[in-house]
Amino acid sequence: MNYQFTLPDFPDSTFEMQTSVWTGRSKLFQDGILVSRANENGRPFLITAASGDTVKAYPKPRYMDVVPVLEIDGIQYDVVEKLTWFQYVICCVPLLLIFFGGALGGGLGAVASSINLQIIRTGGSATGNYLKVLGITLAAFAFYFLVAYIIWGV
């Protein structure tokens, strides 16, 4: 997913972070140009300021989120807005498949939940996003019960 944001220390720059749910890797772009990373511990992004100075921005994981925050000089900056508790609950309902189907249900639930977390952050109407999340959740449950019926004849 791609997330556009600005940083207070760089008012004239637009940043975009690309994150992969599957690998956990992130790429940062400053005004459309890929920002390089240092090889030191934490692999910080090396952001160039207007003055020519280089600022280190460390990507840090956020609990229960697939989008990291950027830490610059000890201050954490959100790349995207934090989700509310009920948005997490709604998006993670497919994880209940763990209780129905063990590994198969858990894997399917994890994939559906990660898709839901991405959908809830996309642009467009909130109602549309919630309907998409509901659709993905229902599809995950239906797919699990279909596979369970085919495999085990339950």
Side-chain angles (χ1 to χ4, degrees):
M1 289 299 293
N2 297 343
Y3 305 101
Q4 288 190 346
F5 62 100
T6 57
L7 292 171
D9 295 340
F10 303 92
D12 298 329
S13 292
T14 302
F15 293 91
E16 181 178 335
M17 181 170 278
Q18 294 178 352
T19 59
S20 171
V21 176
W22 311 116
T23 63
R25 294 185 181 162
S26 300
K27 292 181 182 179
L28 182 66
F29 294 86
Q30 180 180 9
D31 299 325
I33 300 169
L34 182 65
V35 176
S36 62
R37 294 185 86 160
N39 289 327
E40 66 184 65
N41 193 17
R43 303 242 324 131
F45 292 106
L46 302 173
I47 301 173
T48 304
S51 64
D53 295 336
T54 301
V55 176
K56 293 180 182 179
Y58 294 88
K60 302 283 184 175
R62 187 186 329 184
Y63 179 70
M64 284 291 298
D65 209 340
V66 294
V67 182
V69 295
L70 286 179
E71 184 177 298
I72 301 172
D73 296 329
I75 301 171
Q76 290 189 351
Y77 297 97
D78 291 327
V79 173
V80 293
E81 288 185 34
K82 294 179 183 178
L83 296 177
T84 60
W85 67 270
F86 64 87
Q87 288 173 318
Y88 278 115
V89 170
I90 291 168
C91 289
C92 293
V93 166
L95 289 176
L96 293 174
L97 286 171
I98 292 171
F99 300 112
F100 292 110
L104 175 64
L108 184 59
V111 169
S113 293
S114 67
I115 292 170
N116 284 345
L117 286 168
Q118 290 179 9
I119 288 173
I120 205 75
R121 284 208 167 103
T122 60
S125 72
T127 304
N129 288 347
Y130 286 118
L131 288 174
K132 290 176 190 174
V133 166
L134 178 63
I136 294 292
T137 301
L138 292 175
F141 275 88
F143 184 73
Y144 169 75
F145 287 117
L146 176 68
V147 171
Y149 179 76
I150 291 171
I151 294 176
W152 297 292
V154 175

